[in-house]
């Protein structure tokens, strides 16, 4: 489908109104328009793919990113994450469809729109996933032992991201972990081990007091290479297909529609919401839905956009009787000191995450494995936004999550307009096992808080006792979408184990959308690993 002239103009005006103004946009027509590889999306995985591919000086690589560069001074400051993760200039502003399982509520669905993607705005919890997570993918080439070398490559210095191990931020953290042990949960001293059931301090993608994302870790150095072109403020509108092969990308840049050609491959790394969106705009997807929107079908792939998974979560807040929480660090006077310590030596609370401790447990003795994730933060954030969210009293919060959700949602286009936000139907709690698991998990967390280490310091619960009804009215979600371009061995799976789109030559997907089953803890580290593996596959590395 070609964009009619009128829509082209409208599209250009609408994008121009909201696109970032960066040096990359001064010349809307790139000097070169044919590259060996076009990488669409400069997020967590896209930065890895572009950096690794361009290490070969014999090939040319172009990375297209719809967003701009992260310029807000707080972006690299770990503790400021509760503000920077919500900055409107760095995200797409998506909302989910009203969800039956959430009493008809729509939720904000933050998805990064900035170079570095999720790794530039996320919570920095670094979790590779354990053996069971990769077994669940049912892809022999992606089993735990097979993916491990790619995590190790990502974590090696120099060249990848920096990982640091957590520790108590305030005395409340140790009390919480003591209570988990007293309630019979295993203490983990390595949260990235082969088996992740148990509790401990998290690992972070933080290095020397700064966020470590894939823009800084991978792309920054690679950008100096003459064979890598990075175009920010450039939104791919569709992948161009000719004779069953991906030959290029049509994109909007500086208000102008540009055509870019790929000699070898187009690698789509636009994330689990925007990658299926781009494929559908390109005529690859569920044929009936595409025809209904007037999009010419290039290939009927019913699963494109389906199988959407995410972690739903219930927050619990408590005030404490003793001054053992982050209020001591973030109260106005202490904050001034913290800012000074950080500015001078990059030390202190600002260089840390408030999401300190947690782990995985089973919602019931019958559960096949851990199915509930728990995150403890020694801070009672105030509802609101920006600095207004800072704690106003001593207290702590817990996030209790469905680590292995059964419910599935889907991403669909609203129209053929490439700038219209997609529909995100999350389908949370559609499978009743998810509510049963969450209630079971909350009961087990209650048992942890009843242990003397915590019971002695808790003053008051901020929320009523959770029930299925109250959860539907108040549950929220992490921003961990996966699965919408599922990898698998079966013919229905959208991509094969080499991440190639079945039925199309020269088109690969390398981002969170290929993850067939959501890992129990986080999705950023597995997505970095996917970026590493994708580059190795494309480069034809032995054993990849
Ligand atoms: C607020 C937040 C907190 C999170 N916290 C954690 C955490 O603590 N731990 C954890 O493990 N995970 C966390 N995650 C999830 C994790 O960051 C993501 O799973 C990961 O970033 C996914 O990487 P990706 O490469 O698939 O997509 P992204 O990183 O989202 O990258 C996709 C990129 O493609 C660009 N793009 C999209 N469409 C187009 C187009 N048409 N043309 C050009 N560019 C396009 C986007 O602008 C974006 O930059 C969090 C995510 C968010 C948003």
């Amino acid at each position: 489908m070609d964009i009619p002239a009128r829509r082209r103009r409208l599209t250009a005006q609408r994008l121009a109104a909201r696109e970032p103004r960066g040096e990359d946009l001064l010349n809307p027509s790139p000097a070169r328009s044919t590259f060996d590889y076009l990488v669409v999306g400069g997020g967590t995985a896209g930065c890895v793919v572009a950096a690794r591919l361009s290490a070969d000086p014999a090939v040319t690589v172009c990375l297209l990113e719809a967003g701009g560069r992260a310029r807000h001074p707080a972006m690299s400051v770990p503790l400021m994450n509760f503000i920077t993760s919500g900055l409107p200039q760095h995200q797409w502003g998506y909302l989910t469809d009203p969800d039956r399982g959430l009493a008809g509520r729509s939720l904000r669905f933050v998805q990064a729109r900035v170079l570095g993607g999720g790794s530039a705005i996320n919570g920095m919890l670094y979790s590779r996933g354990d053996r069971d997570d990769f077994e669940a993918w049912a892809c022999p080439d992606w089993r735990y032992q097979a993916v491990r070398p790619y995590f190790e490559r990502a974590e090696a210095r120099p060249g990848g991201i920096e990982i640091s191990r957590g520790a108590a931020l305030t005395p409340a953290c140790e009390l919480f972990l003591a209570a988990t042990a007293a309630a019979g949960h295993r203490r983990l001293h390595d949260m990235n081990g082969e088996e992740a059931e148990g509790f401990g301090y998290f690992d972070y993608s933080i290095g020397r007091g700064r966020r470590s994302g894939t823009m800084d870790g991978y792309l920054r150095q690679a950008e100096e290479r003459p064979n890598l072109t990075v175009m920010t403020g450039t939104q791919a509108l569709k992948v161009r297909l000719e004779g069953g092969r991906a030959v290029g990308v049509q994109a909007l840049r500086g208000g102008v529609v540009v055509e870019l050609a790929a000699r070898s491959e187009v690698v789509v790394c636009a994330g689990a919401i925007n990658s299926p969106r781009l494929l559908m705009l390109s005529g690859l997807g569920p044929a009936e839905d595409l025809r209904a929107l007037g999009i010419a079908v290039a290939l009927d792939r019913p699963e494109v956009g389906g199988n959407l998974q995410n972690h739903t979560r219930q927050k619990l807040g408590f005030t404490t009787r003793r001054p053992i929480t982050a209020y001591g660090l973030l109260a106005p006077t202490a904050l001034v000191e913290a800012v000074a310590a950080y500015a001078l030596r990059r030390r202190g609370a600002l260089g840390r995450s408030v999401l300190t401790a947690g782990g995985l447990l089973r919602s019931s003795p019958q559960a096949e494995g851990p199915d509930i994730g728990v995150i403890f933060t020694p801070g009672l954030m105030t509802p609101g936004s920006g600095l207004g969210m800072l704690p106003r009293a001593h207290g702590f919060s817990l996030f209790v999550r469905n680590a292995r959700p059964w419910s599935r949602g889907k991403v669909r286009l609203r129209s053929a307009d490439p700038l219209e936000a997609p529909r995100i139907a999350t389908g949370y709690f559609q499978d009743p096992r998810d509510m049963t698991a969450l209630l079971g998990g909350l009961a087990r967390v209650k048992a942890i808080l009843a242990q003397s280490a915590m019971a002695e310091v808790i003053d008051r619960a901020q929320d009523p006792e959770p029930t299925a009804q109250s959860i539907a009215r108040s549950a929220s979600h992490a921003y961990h979408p996966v699965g919408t371009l599922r990898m698998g061995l079966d013919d229905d799976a959208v991509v094969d184990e080499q991440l190639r789109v079945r039925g199309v030559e020269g088109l690969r997907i390398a981002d969170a959308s290929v993850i067939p089953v959501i890992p129990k803890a986080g999705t950023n580290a597995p997505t970095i690993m996917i970026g590493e593996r994708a580059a190795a596959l494309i480069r034809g590395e032995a054993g990849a």
Side-chain angles (χ1 to χ4, degrees):
M1 183 200 64
D2 268 331
I3 300 180
R6 187 169 159 275
R7 175 149 354 115
R8 242 179 232 244
R9 265 198 320 278
L10 281 176
T11 295
Q13 283 164 9
R14 287 172 55 188
L15 194 84
R18 65 176 201 225
E19 72 190 357
R21 308 266 151 213
E23 66 275 17
D24 296 347
L25 277 180
L26 292 178
N27 174 13
S29 320
R32 189 195 285 166
S33 60
T34 300
F35 300 84
D36 293 309
Y37 298 102
L38 292 176
V39 180
V40 179
T44 291
C47 288
V48 179
V49 172
R52 293 299 192 208
L53 289 182
S54 62
D56 177 357
V59 303
T60 53
V61 180
C62 178
L63 175 66
L64 287 71
E65 166 55 45
R69 287 169 192 271
R71 297 199 196 277
H72 194 286
M75 295 285 286
S76 64
V77 183
L79 198 88
M80 289 293 113
N81 174 245
F82 66 94
I83 297 177
T84 54
S85 66
L87 290 174
Q89 67 268 36
H90 293 325
Q91 53 149 314
W92 288 82
Y94 291 155
L95 272 184
T96 63
D97 282 0
D99 198 325
R100 251 189 315 142
L102 296 180
R105 287 179 301 133
S106 291
L107 298 180
R108 268 185 348 136
F109 206 140
V110 175
Q111 287 294 280
R113 191 169 191 263
V114 60
L115 213 51
S119 75
I121 64 167
N122 69 18
M124 294 159 288
L125 292 182
Y126 185 84
S127 173
R128 287 180 175 183
D130 67 6
R131 176 181 287 280
D132 279 351
D133 283 322
F134 296 101
E135 290 300 317
W137 290 16
C139 292
D141 288 356
W142 294 78
R143 298 182 104 147
Y144 188 69
Q145 290 304 340
V147 299
R148 241 176 111 142
Y150 299 95
F151 282 113
E152 286 162 5
R153 194 178 281 191
E155 295 158 19
R157 305 295 308 155
I161 46 163
E162 290 189 70
I163 309 301
S164 56
R165 186 146 286 180
L169 184 65
T170 75
C173 304
E174 265 308 311
L175 292 177
F176 175 71
L177 287 178
T180 61
H185 300 279
R186 193 160 70 115
R187 174 74 188 255
L188 295 177
H189 295 284
D190 177 4
M191 297 289 271
N192 275 304
E194 230 173 287
E195 212 208 289
E197 186 169 4
F199 283 80
Y201 289 111
F202 293 117
D203 289 340
Y204 304 102
S205 46
I206 296 177
R208 290 164 287 159
R210 286 171 65 91
R211 169 190 293 279
S212 176
T214 58
M215 164 62 204
D216 286 325
Y218 287 84
L219 199 68
R220 193 173 298 287
Q221 286 187 2
E223 272 199 278
E224 287 164 18
R225 299 171 184 153
N227 62 331
L228 174 63
T229 303
V230 178
M231 296 184 188
T232 55
T234 306
Q235 180 167 345
L237 304 175
K238 68 179 202 174
V239 177
R240 296 193 68 89
L241 302 165
E242 270 174 29
R245 184 176 180 85
V247 295
V249 165
Q250 186 179 71
L252 196 55
R253 173 174 166 77
V256 176
V257 176
V258 295
E259 303 287 344
L260 301 165
R263 274 187 290 261
S264 291
E265 289 196 27
V266 175
V267 190
V268 175
C269 307
I273 304 297
N274 285 313
S275 285
R277 174 189 183 199
L278 183 65
L279 260 59
M280 289 187 272
L281 287 167
S282 313
L284 304 168
E288 257 181 54
D289 291 14
L290 298 184
R291 277 195 206 103
L293 298 175
I295 296 174
V297 177
L299 189 65
D300 181 16
R301 299 285 341 176
E303 276 214 20
V304 168
N307 192 41
L308 172 66
Q309 296 155 65
N310 192 8
H311 294 133
T312 35
R313 69 181 189 197
Q314 182 65 36
K315 181 171 165 287
L316 303 172
F318 298 85
T319 50
T320 56
R321 293 198 190 111
R322 288 203 240 135
I324 50 170
T325 75
Y327 179 58
L329 303 169
L330 299 174
T333 44
L335 197 58
V336 173
E337 259 175 58
V339 171
Y342 189 77
L344 290 175
R345 299 186 306 279
R346 244 199 255 147
R347 287 260 175 82
L350 261 62
R352 309 270 306 272
S353 165
V354 284
L355 308 174
T356 48
L360 293 165
L361 55 75
R362 291 171 199 238
S363 60
S364 77
Q366 292 75 40
E368 277 175 25
D371 55 350
I372 292 293
V374 180
I375 295 179
F376 173 84
T377 167
L380 188 60
M381 302 310 253
T382 311
S385 62
L387 288 173
M389 288 168 74
L390 287 173
R392 304 215 181 119
H394 275 289
F396 66 90
S397 311
L398 285 158
F399 297 96
V400 183
R401 316 201 287 210
N402 286 99
R404 264 293 165 77
W406 299 91
S407 304
R408 299 289 183 262
K410 61 183 178 190
V411 177
R412 288 287 180 264
L413 299 177
R414 276 175 213 281
S415 74
D417 180 345
L419 294 189
E420 182 154 22
R423 285 187 48 204
I424 308 172
T426 53
Y428 295 147
F429 301 115
Q430 239 165 46
D431 188 316
R433 286 174 290 186
D434 286 337
M435 186 57 86
T436 307
L438 191 51
L439 286 166
L442 285 160
R444 297 210 66 197
V445 168
K446 193 173 168 190
I448 292 172
L449 299 181
Q451 304 301 315
S452 59
M454 288 306 285
E456 282 168 13
V457 296
I458 291 175
D459 174 24
R460 259 182 309 117
Q462 300 285 291
D463 314 282
E465 187 77 9
T467 62
Q469 290 72 26
S470 73
I471 290 173
R473 286 194 305 270
S474 61
S476 176
H477 57 180
Y479 301 121
H480 295 169
V482 302
T484 47
L485 297 172
R486 176 176 71 88
M487 168 171 63
L489 302 182
D490 57 303
D491 290 342
D492 290 338
V494 181
V495 302
D496 64 15
E497 283 193 294
Q498 277 75 48
L499 306 175
R500 297 174 297 208
V501 175
R502 286 203 164 80
V504 185
E505 294 288 310
L507 182 60
R508 253 182 249 248
I509 312 295
D511 60 25
S513 62
V514 304
I515 296 176
V517 177
I518 192 166
K520 293 185 288 293
T523 46
N524 197 50
T527 307
I528 295 173
M529 178 277 289
I530 290 167
E532 286 279 8
R533 184 89 189 260
L537 287 165
I538 295 167
R539 295 181 59 166
E541 273 182 29

